[in-house]
Amino acid sequence: MTNHTPLLAADAACPASRSLWQLGWQRLRRDRLGLAALWVVAAFVLLALAGWLGLAGSHWRHEVAKPNTPPALFKHYGPATVELTAADIDAAQQQHTSAADASAATGMSAEDDPLAADMAAAQATAAQNAAARPAVAVHADSLLCGSDSRGRDVLQKVIQGTATSLLVGLSGALLAMLIGTVLGALSGYFGRRVDDLLMWFYSVFTSVPDMLLLLAFSAVMSRGIDTVIMVMALTSWTGTYRLMRAEFMKHKCREYVQAADAIGASHCSRMFRHILPNVTHLLLVQFSILTVALIKYEAILSFLGFGVGVTQTSWGAMLAEAPAELLQGYWWQMAAVTLCMSLLVTAFSMLTDSLRDALDPKVK
């Protein structure tokens, strides 16, 4: 009687086969920088989720402090601000009245000073507004990240800007990948006339600079988050198309695709049920690259005035307000946006490199 104990022991000693995703996660956990970047990106996503749900940053429009209040840690180092009270306005009016009387005594007429009437009306309007303005006793004297020129909390704006910028980046990247994957799959799998037509379409888009296309689409469409996402998707699908075209062209001749053809699988099944799962790891890397690029593009568009609407805020909209504040010495809004944006983009870039190494089948 044959003893199969050694064979069973050998089978038990053999490790179970692991999928590409399990191997990739194991490699990523060994990469300390990549794992730290993953945690940073996850923290920003949770912060953006809190902004989307209204749990944080929902009161960014409210004037909760005095204009241009410095951060709490730099409260005594910010530029001095001059606040005009009602007594100061009355004194200015009396001085202006005295100056007008002196001008009348010297014989100066309204024709010699054509702005005198406008200045008097403006000062009277300012005095009425100051008298009608309610007391601001509830306004805070200091905030963690300071306030902007309208007294809004910079930290609340940064949280809401994070939600907006990540929404634009993630949604635009998903739509761009959807367009690029479908067109790339059709072009690489069918080839011939379909490939020629789609390559001509691709060449038309790539012949025009990306920023020019972004500005052109933004100028034609109305401002808003939906418009920015659509513009990003329509101008960022070309890289995914080129990648998927090459991958589908390579995989359509593999044995597993020929086997699927032999059992009667349709073209759609071969493309999206057999080939697509084998190139998903490349799409994940491409998704992270596109997200970083679209966050930058959104900041540029909003900075130039073609991004989100005036009732919304984003990192680009906050950067657009920063130059006027920097000229007056109010640097904290610029510093907060720059720090958050640099941290997220750097973490995304490091995570992209780690994912590329972790999901590479050639790496043992």
Side-chain angles (χ1 to χ4, degrees), residues 56-103:
S58 58
H59 303 294
W60 68 271
R61 298 184 183 89
H62 299 171
E63 299 179 10
V64 296
K66 299 176 182 178
N68 297 317
T69 300
L73 294 177
F74 302 93
K75 182 178 180 181
H76 301 291
Y77 299 97
T81 57
V82 179
E83 297 183 5
L84 294 179
T85 62
D88 297 331
I89 296 176
D90 292 339
Q93 283 185 333
Q94 293 177 1
Q95 184 178 2
H96 179 75
T97 303
S98 301
D101 295 340
S103 299

Side-chain angles (χ1 to χ4, degrees), residues 207-227:
S207 62
V208 183
D210 292 342
M211 187 52 61
L212 185 58
L213 279 176
L214 284 171
L215 294 177
F217 279 117
S218 300
V220 172
M221 300 180 181
S222 59
R223 295 180 60 180
I225 295 180
D226 298 338
T227 300

Side-chain angles (χ1 to χ4, degrees), residues 246-294:
E247 290 297 321
F248 273 77
M249 192 176 295
K250 178 176 65 176
H251 280 266
K252 71 178 182 179
C253 300
R254 297 285 176 87
E255 289 80 3
Y256 70 92
V257 180
Q258 295 177 358
D261 185 18
I263 63 176
S266 62
H267 293 296
C268 184
S269 177
R270 275 178 272 172
M271 283 191 295
F272 299 110
R273 291 186 59 186
H274 295 83
I275 299 179
L276 185 60
N278 288 278
V279 298
T280 308
H281 62 285
L282 298 177
L283 287 176
L284 183 60
V285 175
Q286 184 70 13
F287 173 73
S288 60
I289 294 175
L290 268 179
T291 303
V292 172
L294 296 190

Side-chain angles (χ1 to χ4, degrees), residues 177-191 194-195 198 240-249 252 267-268 270-272 275-276 279:
M177 287 181 58
L178 178 63
I179 297 173
T181 300
V182 172
L183 295 182
L186 294 174
S187 180
Y189 181 83
F190 290 106
V194 177
D195 185 34
L198 293 177
T240 306
Y241 165 80
R242 184 173 61 249
L243 177 65
M244 288 297 102
R245 175 180 176 271
E247 290 297 321
F248 273 77
M249 192 176 295
K252 71 178 182 179
H267 293 296
C268 184
R270 275 178 272 172
M271 283 191 295
F272 299 110
I275 299 179
L276 185 60
V279 298

Side-chain angles (χ1 to χ4, degrees), residues 137-161:
V138 296
H139 283 191
D141 294 330
S142 63
L143 296 170
L144 183 61
C145 294
S147 63
D148 62 0
S149 58
R150 294 177 55 185
R152 298 174 296 185
D153 191 355
V154 172
L155 181 59
Q156 296 266 345
K157 293 180 66 177
V158 167
I159 294 174
Q160 191 63 32

